[in-house]
Amino acid sequence: MGYPVLAIESVTMCSLELYKIDLKGLTEAETTREFDLDDDYFAALDGSQLEHGALHVSVSIRKMTGFFELQFHTEGSVTVSCDRCLDDMDQPIEADNHLLVKLGDTYSDDDDDTVTIDENEGILDLSWFIYEFVMLAIPIKHVHAPGKCNSAMTRKLDELSGAVRSGEEEAEAIDPRWEKLLKLKRE
């Protein structure tokens, strides 16, 4: 009796190895690296809150005496949920970030702008730094442009917010403790 042969599809996954830079191996005073981030990038990151996006990141690395200066420029968009209607929406991203990297005894990222990496290894993994810069570029409130929200959800929100207001008015009218104060306020 033979077992059925299963067809396994080839899945292209993003290799985070692309985002590792050997700083000790850099020979030129200034180097530029370009990265195109897509859904595979966000899927490859463990614990990523974003799942979809299309971004272009340009990293300029300047080799200085005792440290490396990195300038990041990010452009594109990511998909986030609208805070009002919960539908997906494209959030444009354009950000410029700065990072200083020093070589030292052990890895340390205690300072917001400076990272120390192990001098023996000399490898800097940019994958999480890029992700954090993208997350910081997303506004706290993300809402569709006026008129672009899901109309069914907008109607439901309007209904519910009206019910809450009328419920508050009824509570004020029913509660006799506040009636005398309201009369004083109106006078």
Side-chain angles (χ1 to χ4, degrees):
M1 174 175 189
Y3 292 98
V5 177
L6 298 175
I8 299 175
E9 287 185 28
S10 172
V11 178
T12 56
M13 292 295 291
C14 174
S15 172
L16 294 180
E17 291 296 317
L18 298 171
Y19 302 95
K20 292 184 179 181
I21 296 179
D22 181 7
L23 294 176
K24 289 174 38 176
L26 295 178
T27 56
E28 298 178 25
E30 188 162 340
T31 306
T32 301
R33 298 284 168 93
E34 307 279 332
F35 303 103
D36 289 313
L37 311 181
D38 57 11
D39 296 350
D40 292 334
Y41 166 79
F42 294 111
L45 289 174
D46 228 7
S48 171
Q49 295 174 355
L50 294 173
E51 294 179 8
H52 305 289
L55 298 160
H56 179 78
V57 180
S58 176
V59 183
S60 174
I61 307 165
R62 287 183 44 204
K63 189 175 183 178
M64 312 290 275
T65 306
F67 66 94
F68 297 86
E69 182 181 42
L70 285 77
Q71 295 288 341
F72 296 80
H73 179 73
T74 307
E75 285 185 37
S77 68
V78 293
T79 303
V80 295
S81 293
C82 175
D83 290 337
R84 185 176 303 135
C85 70
L86 303 178
D87 279 357
D88 285 346
M89 62 175 272
D90 284 335
Q91 177 65 54
I93 301 289
E94 185 167 352
D96 291 305
N97 301 94
H98 177 80
L99 182 68
L100 292 176
V101 180
K102 294 189 230 177
L103 299 176
D105 296 333
T106 59
Y107 180 86
S108 170
D109 62 355
D110 295 335
D111 188 4
D112 288 340
D113 295 332
T114 306
V115 173
T116 304
I117 61 171
D118 186 0
E119 188 172 13
N120 297 325
E121 189 175 306
I123 304 290
L124 176 65
D125 185 355
L126 296 178
S127 59
W128 268 104
F129 290 108
I130 293 171
Y131 174 75
E132 287 176 356
F133 293 149
V134 169
M135 290 299 290
L136 288 172
I138 297 173
I140 292 173
K141 184 177 181 179
H142 20 88
V143 180
H144 281 109
K148 300 289 183 186
C149 275
N150 179 326
S151 58
M153 182 65 87
T154 305
R155 279 193 304 277
K156 192 66 171 172
L157 284 171
D158 289 342
E159 286 175 23
L160 293 174
S161 64
V164 169
R165 272 189 240 119
S166 66
E168 289 172 356
E169 291 168 4
E170 287 176 18
E172 286 179 16
I174 293 173
D175 191 348
R177 295 176 292 176
W178 297 106
E179 282 185 44
K180 290 183 181 183
L181 289 174
L182 288 173
K183 286 179 186 178
L184 287 174
K185 183 178 174 183
R186 290 180 192 142
E187 292 175 359

